[in-house]
């Protein structure tokens, strides 16, 4: 069918790829009555399962789950023979599906798309194939898979070898016979680890060239797990539904057991159960915190290393096979059958490239820094240009001729991993920015295909012909994808998830790690909000509801969900005593915050009696006096105490290198306005006067506070200026209350649902100050004289009702000539920045606070080793 045609062919949609995603996309497009051409450079359907025919190739998701769910009859007609089916069986399945639905008539094999150009006047794509054909279509859909473009061998001399060369990703259909041969396998990712035991069965000698040791778990292959089959038989619809709304695309109960707090026996029990189960999502779910907490991750990693050491007889080989340079899971873990035991065979040898790197491939073998090896065959199991390789391989140019390769020069940018701005009607199935490779691909594929089909149907009903994301929506999604990755350990590894395996490829975390269910919810929300963030045009008009679907930090959103699930009564419905008890109970369950050098409790004389304080001194050098920071806790002048902000004070102490003196002040309603403000001033004066005794440097004094504590810190600065001192070097105001005006936009936007509500703020004010006093600068420092105040660092959180008054204070201070550093806590709430050890995304904001404090005092140095 590769003959050139003079008249361009026309169809509604061109789909590239006839694997799992291309086949289902074709099926759905046909259902919509669209004319479709599917091109695949392979000779048959199957996608990755067409090409990856190396010995031992299997899926690594149980086949009960790695299967289509769109056709209930198909599910009845096909039974998988094993827990993890082999490549031939999966290929057979895809052929069966293609035949069952008569899909082949719209698929052309051995055809490669070489270029695609968006024709703006025509509102069509012009697709050119390697046979010189031109096809014009409305929709251009990439079903090209995430791991389909092999990485070209980036090894000196590759190409010189005169023996047989094999790539696991392009295995010959006739197979390979290594009987009696000396064989090299380069690469120990999933492909290498699956194939090595089988190559070893035939080869006379096998040398495995390992650059990075990889974590692998025994697959325990055999019949499909009885538990899963039972669940499926009981209620197949419910099972598939659970998969769609799970984290990874396989029904799996996420654990809430934390590795760092679990007992030794619980750790061992959970690990051994996961090891026996032999499933990726099981071993990735031993502890809830193993993906984010290095200490927890190391518990699992060390138990796997123990298993490797006990499987491999030669201690040196065993040690070389133990991964130590990346956290478990941050590179794709493997499932194997007898991989580590293979190294006990006398004719199998591991060559550790960390000790003796490859210098060159030669005519007859491989030369390393230490040795020359002769081989009859070399197998490259060196991986793929993952996730983006196939998308940019064809020359795709969108509106204004911009190529996808150019647009993505610094890393891919997508909206929902489905589309990219500037490329109308160009869809990617399981593209970068979607869960894709971190999930059960079949579940993610069905979700993407259904979304695209639904979108095209909706567009047709509305008389719309083109769709493309807005720049704002896309930037927002890119940010969210990176935010999700940033709270995990994943970006620390040199993995193909990061593009790190391909020399010169930008390092960006490629898949969406937020999970299948969270992702599906975001996609559904986009649709229910009128295709939020998409611009659609056609005879039906122009539609664009611009916006960002996920602006909140992912861990902040999780905390809000947890709090909502706890069903606690709103604070503003409680008495002050009950609210205090509730706060104390929740505070008791938090992580303690970082270790500091010294913590001392004491009292200072206040205007109406003693005030308790807690002093935090940083650990480590330098010995001797440090700058002093007087800190005031949050809690609306009603709640809180020295314990409530203890983790935050430790964090500030460690980050700033200053001595933090946290002072408890009198609370309302027992002591109303201006008691707290007067206590704050007295505390600052006393700390200044006793600087030497407190281990401080006289004259180096700052104030800090959060929420109402920031209110009295700001007020203390104004009062100190007006009442003869002391000199204050700087003020850190975290989400401060600086005004009593609740009509600002941030109150309207964030007044409900983000823990500090408008009602709660009202409750605080009612307890603290009479309405007549609320305009007093000692209650509302924004209304005071701001000239001559100390330099300020103000934190304003996006989802805080107080955001706009914090910003207003920053602007007003600047206008009064005060140096101001306004830090936006992007995606945070009023409380989340202070949640040390819980909200990981708050750490960069607190780092900025630490930096601001150090800037107030040039001599300050932070503690070492702080994440
Ligand atoms: P991979 O995970 O990227 O592994 C490639 C291996 O080759 C790594 O050990 C890599 O070392 C090594 N390598 C690459 N370039 C090298 C060089 N120049 N010199 C020496 N060593 C080099 O690729 P893969 O094994 O094909 O697997 C890719 C992904 O495909 C898997 O992670 C998985 O998602 C999927 N897959 C799944 C299955 C399955 O079980 N269903 C099977 C195969 C593949 P470094 O780590 O040091 O870069």
């Amino acid at each position: 069918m590769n003959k050139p045609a003079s008249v361009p062919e026309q169809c509604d949609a061109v789909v590239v790829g006839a694997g799992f995603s291309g086949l289902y996309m074709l099926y759905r497009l046909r259902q919509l009555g669209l004319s479709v051409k599917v091109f695949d450079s392979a000779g048959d359907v199957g996608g990755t399962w067409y090409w990856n025919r190396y010995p031992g190739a299997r899926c690594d998701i149980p086949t009960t789950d790695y299967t289509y769910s769109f056709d209930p009859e198909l599910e009845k007609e096909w039974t998988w023979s094993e827990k993890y089916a082999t490549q031939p069986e999966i290929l057979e399945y895809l052929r069966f599906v293609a035949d069952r639905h008569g899909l082949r008539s719209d698929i052309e094999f051995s055809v490669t798309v070489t270029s695609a150009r968006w024709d703006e006047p025509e509102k069509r794509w012009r697709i050119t194939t390697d046979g010189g054909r031109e096809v014009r279509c409305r929709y251009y859909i990439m079903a090209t898979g995430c791991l389909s473009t092999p990485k070209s061998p980036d090894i000196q001399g590759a190409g010189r070898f005169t023996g047989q060369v094999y790539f696991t990703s392009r295995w010959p259909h006739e197979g390979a016979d290594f009987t009696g041969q000396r064989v090299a396998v380069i690469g120990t990712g999933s492909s290498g680890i699956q194939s090595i035991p089988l190559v070893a069965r035939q080869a006379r000698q096998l040398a495995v060239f390992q650059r990075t040791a990889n974590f692998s778990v025994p697959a325990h292959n055999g019949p499909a797990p009885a538990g899963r089959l039972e669940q499926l038989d009981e209620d197949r619809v419910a099972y598939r539904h659970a998969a769609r709304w799970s984290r990874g695309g396989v029904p799996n109960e996420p654990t809430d057991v934390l590795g760092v707090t679990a007992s030794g026996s619980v750790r061992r029990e959970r690990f051994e159960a996961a090891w026996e189960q032999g499933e990726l999502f099981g071993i990735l779910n031993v502890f809830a915190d193993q993906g984010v907490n290095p200490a927890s991750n190391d518990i699992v990693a060390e138990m796997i290393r123990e298993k490797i050491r006990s499987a491999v007889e030669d201690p040196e080989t065993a040690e070389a096979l133990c991964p130590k340079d990346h956290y478990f899971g941050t590179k794709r873990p493997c499932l194997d059958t007898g991989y580590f035991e293979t190294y006990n065979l006398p004719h199998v040898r591991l060559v550790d490239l960390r000790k003796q790197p490859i210098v060159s491939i030669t005519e007859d073998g491989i030369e390393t820094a230490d040795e020359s090896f002769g081989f009859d065959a070399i197998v490259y199991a060196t991986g793929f240009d993952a996730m983006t390789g196939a998308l940019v391989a064809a020359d795709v140019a969108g509106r204004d001729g911009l190529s996808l390769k150019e647009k993505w020069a610094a890393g891919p940018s997508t909206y929902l991993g489905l589309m990219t701005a500037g490329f109308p009607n160009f869809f990617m199935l399981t593209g970068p920015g979607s869960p894709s490779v971190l999930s059960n691909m079949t579940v993610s594929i069905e979700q993407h295909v259904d979304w695209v089909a639904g979108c095209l149907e909706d567009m047709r009903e509305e008389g719309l012909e083109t769709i493309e994301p807005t720049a704002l929506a896309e930037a927002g999604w890119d940010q969210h994808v990176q935010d999700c990755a940033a709270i995990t350990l994943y970006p620390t590894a040199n993995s193909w998830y990061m593009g790190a395996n391909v020399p010169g490829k930008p390092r960006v975390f490629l898949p969406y790690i937020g999970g299948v269910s969270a992702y599906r919810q975001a996609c559904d929300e986009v649709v229910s909000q009128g295709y939020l963030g998409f611009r659609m045009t056609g005879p039906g008009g122009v539609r664009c509801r611009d916006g960002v679907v996920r602006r909140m930090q992912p861990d902040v959103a999780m905390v809000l969900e947890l709090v909502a699930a706890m069903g606690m009564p709103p604070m503003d419905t409680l008495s002050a005593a009950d609210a205090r008890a509730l706060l104390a109970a929740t505070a008791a369950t938090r992580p303690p915050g970082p270790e500091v050098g010294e913590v001392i409790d004491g009292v200072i004389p206040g205007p109406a009696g003693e005030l308790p304080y807690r002093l935090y001194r940083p650990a480590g050098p330098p010995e001797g006096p440090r700058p002093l920071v007087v800190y005031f806790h949050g809690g609306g002048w009603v709640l809180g105490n020295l314990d409530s902000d203890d983790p935050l004070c430790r964090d500030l102490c460690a980050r700033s290198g200053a001595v933090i003196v946290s002072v408890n002040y009198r609370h309302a309603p027992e002591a109303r306005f201006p008691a707290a403000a007067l206590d704050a001033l007295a505390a600052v004066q006393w700390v200044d006067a006793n600087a030497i005794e407190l281990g401080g440097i006289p004259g180096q004094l700052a104030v800090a506070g959060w929420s109402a504590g920031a209110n009295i810190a700001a007020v203390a600065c104004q009062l100190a200026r007006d009442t003869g001192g002391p000199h204050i070097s700087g003020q850190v105001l975290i989400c401060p209350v600086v005004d009593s005006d609740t009509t600002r936009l941030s109150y309207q936007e964030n007044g409900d649902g983000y823990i500090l509500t408008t009602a709660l703020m009202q409750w605080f004010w009612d307890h603290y100050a009479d309405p007549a006093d609320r305009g007093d600068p000692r209650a509302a420092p924004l209304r005071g004289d701001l000239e001559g105040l100390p330099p300020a660092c103000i934190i304003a959180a996006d989802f805080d009702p107080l955001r706009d008054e914090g910003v207003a204070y920053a602007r007003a201070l600047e206008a009064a000539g005060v140096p101001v550093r306004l830090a936006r806590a992007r995606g945070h709430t009023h409380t989340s920045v202070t949640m040390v050890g819980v909200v990981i995304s708050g750490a960069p904001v607190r780092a900025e606070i630490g930096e601001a404090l150090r800037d107030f005092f040039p001599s300050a140095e932070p503690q070492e080793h702080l994440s």
Side-chain angles (χ1 to χ4, degrees), residues 6 19 27 64 101 103 121 131 159 162 201 242 289 294 299 365 396 471 510 569 604 631 717 757 800 803 810 865:
S6 50
Y27 172 85
T64 41
H101 290 288
L103 298 174
T162 54
R201 279 192 203 165
D289 53 348
I299 296 166
V396 186
L510 297 167
I604 67 174
Y631 175 84
C717 289
T757 61
D800 184 357
R803 177 195 68 206
H865 309 305

Side-chain angles (χ1 to χ4, degrees), residues 332-661:
R332 172 87 168 194
C334 308
L335 287 184
D336 73 271
T337 303
Y339 172 65
F340 292 111
E341 292 79 0
T342 300
Y343 292 94
N344 297 333
L345 298 172
H347 67 294
V348 177
R349 175 182 167 191
L350 182 75
V351 181
D352 183 353
L353 299 182
R354 303 278 166 177
K355 290 196 177 136
Q356 47 169 325
I358 295 178
V359 175
S360 179
I361 308 280
T362 62
E363 279 73 15
D364 57 3
I366 296 177
E367 199 178 305
T368 67
D370 296 348
E371 285 174 77
S372 283
F373 295 82
F375 294 114
D376 302 307
I378 297 180
V379 176
Y380 288 94
T382 44
F384 299 87
D385 182 353
M387 301 208 64
T388 54
L391 294 170
V392 299
D395 178 17
V396 186
R399 202 173 326 91
D400 308 325
L402 179 73
S403 81
L404 193 59
K405 212 173 194 165
E406 285 161 355
K407 180 177 174 187
W408 287 4
S413 175
T414 73
Y415 187 33
L416 301 168
L418 276 163
M419 298 196 84
T420 186
F423 295 78
N425 292 2
F426 174 72
F427 294 94
M428 295 164 280
L429 302 178
T430 67
S434 75
S436 58
V437 291
L438 296 175
S439 67
N440 174 2
M441 285 298 283
T442 54
V443 168
S444 287
I445 283 168
E446 287 194 336
Q447 187 253 340
H448 258 197
V449 169
D450 289 341
W451 193 95
V452 172
C455 166
L456 299 188
E457 195 173 11
D458 289 346
M459 284 170 65
R460 185 165 65 187
E461 276 172 20
E462 303 284 326
L464 299 166
E465 289 176 337
T466 72
I467 176 167
E468 143 184 30
T470 67
L472 176 75
E474 184 166 305
W477 185 256
D478 288 341
Q479 183 67 65
H480 178 58
V481 171
Q482 296 312 313
D483 284 345
C484 289
I487 59 174
T488 73
L489 300 170
Y490 280 69
T492 61
N494 287 326
S495 65
W496 58 257
Y497 295 144
M498 289 292 290
N501 63 328
V502 177
K505 192 167 172 176
R507 296 216 175 183
V508 178
F509 196 74
L510 297 167
Y512 176 67
I513 205 171
V516 163
S517 59
Y519 176 78
R520 181 182 290 268
Q521 201 174 334
C523 290
D524 291 356
E525 268 175 53
V526 163
V527 174
S528 68
Q529 293 183 39
Y531 286 91
L532 176 72
F534 283 106
R535 187 169 189 276
M536 298 154 109
T537 68
V542 176
R543 299 276 173 81
C544 183
R545 182 152 179 244
D546 206 355
V548 171
V549 66
R550 288 284 176 271
R551 288 172 50 231
M552 185 169 283
Q553 291 287 350
D555 47 359
V556 176
M558 275 186 248
V559 167
L560 289 181
E561 274 169 31
L562 271 176
V563 170
M566 284 158 77
M568 291 189 299
M571 286 262 187
D572 51 277
T573 60
L574 303 179
S575 67
D578 287 347
R580 285 170 189 158
L582 186 60
L583 188 71
T586 46
T589 62
R590 295 166 311 176
E595 286 286 327
V596 293
E598 198 177 15
V599 179
I600 301 167
D601 282 352
V603 288
I604 67 174
E610 290 184 330
L611 302 173
Y613 75 82
R614 183 169 296 163
L615 180 146
Y616 304 81
R617 191 178 168 78
E623 293 300 319
R626 303 253 191 173
L628 287 159
V629 177
V630 186
Y631 175 84
F632 302 106
H633 64 76
W637 308 281
V638 179
L639 315 173
N641 50 35
L642 297 181
D643 293 331
S644 62
D645 290 24
D646 183 79
L648 177 63
C649 287
R650 290 170 176 274
D651 193 80
L652 294 181
C653 171
R655 288 183 192 279
S656 67
V659 171
I660 306 286
V661 185

Side-chain angles (χ1 to χ4, degrees), residues 49 97 116 120 123 127 132 235 278 315 344 360 418 423 499 530 601 834 837:
W49 300 107
V97 173
E120 179 67 24
K123 305 264 184 284
I127 309 292
D235 191 342
N344 297 333
S360 179
L418 276 163
F423 295 78
D601 282 352
T834 67

Side-chain angles (χ1 to χ4, degrees), residues 48-49 52 54 56-61 66 84 90 147 151-156 168-169 186-194 209-214 280 325-326 331-335 353-354 358 380-384 386 437 494-497 500-503:
T48 198
W49 300 107
N52 289 270
Y54 59 84
R58 293 175 184 273
C59 57
D60 60 6
I61 297 288
Y66 191 76
Y84 297 110
I90 302 172
L147 294 152
K151 192 181 87 141
S152 42
D154 49 350
I155 303 177
Q156 178 76 25
T168 48
S169 52
I186 305 177
T188 51
S190 300
S191 305
I193 282 178
Q194 282 187 336
F209 290 78
Q210 171 191 278
R211 188 165 64 185
T212 307
N214 224 329
L280 279 185
D325 69 347
H326 62 280
K331 287 181 98 154
R332 172 87 168 194
C334 308
L335 287 184
L353 299 182
R354 303 278 166 177
I358 295 178
Y380 288 94
T382 44
F384 299 87
V437 291
N494 287 326
S495 65
W496 58 257
Y497 295 144
N501 63 328
V502 177

Side-chain angles (χ1 to χ4, degrees), residues 56-74:
R58 293 175 184 273
C59 57
D60 60 6
I61 297 288
T63 338
T64 41
D65 300 81
Y66 191 76
T67 193
Y68 286 123
S69 70
F70 69 89
D71 176 357
E73 291 306 310
L74 169 69

Side-chain angles (χ1 to χ4, degrees), residues 106-387:
D106 284 328
I107 309 175
E108 295 184 36
F109 297 108
S110 307
V111 176
T112 302
V113 171
T114 50
S115 83
R117 298 262 172 288
W118 174 249
D119 183 334
E120 179 67 24
E122 291 288 318
K123 305 264 184 284
R124 286 185 169 262
W125 283 95
R126 292 165 176 247
I127 309 292
T128 310
T129 71
D130 53 353
R133 281 163 61 190
E134 187 178 313
V135 182
R136 297 192 184 172
C137 59
R138 179 78 73 202
Y139 309 110
Y140 181 39
I141 303 173
M142 301 299 275
T144 42
C146 297
L147 294 152
S148 47
T149 302
K151 192 181 87 141
S152 42
D154 49 350
I155 303 177
Q156 178 76 25
R160 278 172 65 192
F161 184 63
T162 54
Q164 289 164 310
V165 174
Y166 298 93
F167 289 86
T168 48
S169 52
R170 291 289 181 269
W171 205 256
H173 285 211
E174 61 280 12
D177 184 2
F178 297 112
T179 308
Q181 293 192 351
R182 297 162 307 155
V183 184
V185 175
I186 305 177
T188 51
S190 300
S191 305
I193 282 178
Q194 282 187 336
S195 57
I196 284 163
L198 291 166
V199 175
R201 279 192 203 165
Q202 291 184 338
R204 173 160 60 90
Q205 281 176 21
L206 170 62
V208 176
F209 290 78
Q210 171 191 278
R211 188 165 64 185
T212 307
N214 224 329
F215 289 100
S216 187
V217 173
H220 299 306
N221 203 17
R228 281 202 190 283
L229 287 180
E230 266 166 36
Q231 283 180 51
L232 266 169
D233 288 347
E234 229 168 68
D235 191 342
R236 193 166 287 266
V237 174
Y239 186 91
R240 298 292 181 217
H241 179 83
R244 287 182 200 118
W245 290 98
S246 68
R247 196 173 163 73
V250 177
N252 216 357
E253 203 50 50
T255 182
D256 55 6
V257 174
L258 299 179
V260 283
T261 50
S263 68
S265 59
V266 168
R267 288 173 181 173
R268 176 57 65 185
E269 200 179 301
R270 291 194 57 78
F271 172 78
E272 294 294 343
W275 189 261
E276 270 317 299
Q277 184 194 29
E279 291 187 15
L280 279 185
F281 290 128
I283 199 79
L284 289 167
N285 187 39
V286 176
F287 304 125
D289 53 348
Q290 70 188 61
V292 296
N293 187 326
S296 171
N297 189 286
D298 202 44
I299 296 166
V300 181
E302 190 48 36
M303 289 189 187
I304 298 177
R305 287 190 284 262
E306 271 174 26
K307 295 281 187 191
I308 296 172
R309 289 182 189 115
S310 68
V312 179
E313 287 160 9
D314 174 49
E316 198 183 329
T317 305
E319 220 40 51
L321 286 165
C322 284
K324 293 183 193 112
D325 69 347
H326 62 280
Y327 293 112
F328 172 64
T330 57
K331 287 181 98 154
R332 172 87 168 194
C334 308
L335 287 184
D336 73 271
T337 303
Y339 172 65
F340 292 111
E341 292 79 0
T342 300
Y343 292 94
N344 297 333
L345 298 172
H347 67 294
V348 177
R349 175 182 167 191
L350 182 75
V351 181
D352 183 353
L353 299 182
R354 303 278 166 177
K355 290 196 177 136
Q356 47 169 325
I358 295 178
V359 175
S360 179
I361 308 280
T362 62
E363 279 73 15
D364 57 3
I366 296 177
E367 199 178 305
T368 67
D370 296 348
E371 285 174 77
S372 283
F373 295 82
F375 294 114
D376 302 307
I378 297 180
V379 176
Y380 288 94
T382 44
F384 299 87
D385 182 353
M387 301 208 64

